[in-house]
Amino acid sequence: MFTYLVYYLLFINLFGFLMMLYDKKMAQKNKWRVEEKTLFTIAAIGGSIGIFAGMYTFKHKTLHASFVIGVPLLFLCNLFCLYLIWKYCM
């Protein structure tokens, strides 16, 4: 089970990182954007590191207080969930 969890976390964080890149590119072209709730959902289901890395790598959404505060809080929630999984399922 641990191996699947690691693969999932790698995938969801890479996906979050790439979604931030995609949204940044679409913003530059004034085209259809990824909804903020979608980015927050990715962060909430384990992709907070990828979203956070994408924010600062691509300088995207770094002026939005909801992202600057919300993504690190979701990271803490992700850590707590991992702790619970580790404690009760491993």
Side-chain angles (χ1 to χ4, degrees):
M1 181 170 159
F2 179 74
T3 305
Y4 294 121
L5 181 61
V6 170
Y7 286 142
Y8 170 76
L9 290 173
L10 288 173
F11 171 78
I12 197 67
N13 281 288
L14 178 62
F15 183 68
F17 185 79
L18 294 174
M19 288 298 286
M20 291 300 282
L21 173 62
Y22 176 77
D23 193 48
K24 174 70 174 194
K25 295 296 182 188
M26 293 298 106
Q28 291 171 338
K29 296 177 182 179
N30 290 320
K31 294 198 173 188
W32 178 85
R33 305 274 306 278
V34 178
E35 291 184 28
E36 287 187 357
K37 69 180 181 179
T38 302
L39 297 172
F40 275 115
T41 300
I42 294 167
I45 62 172
S48 57
I49 294 172
I51 295 289
F52 188 80
M55 281 174 55
Y56 289 97
T57 300
F58 308 121
K59 309 261 189 283
H60 189 54
K61 305 268 188 205
T62 56
L63 299 177
H64 295 243
S66 60
F67 277 84
V68 173
I69 296 167
V71 173
L73 287 176
L74 287 171
F75 172 70
L76 293 175
C77 291
N78 290 167
L79 280 179
F80 181 69
C81 289
L82 285 174
Y83 166 75
L84 292 176
I85 291 169
W86 185 264
K87 183 174 181 177
Y88 295 108
C89 298
M90 300 269 177

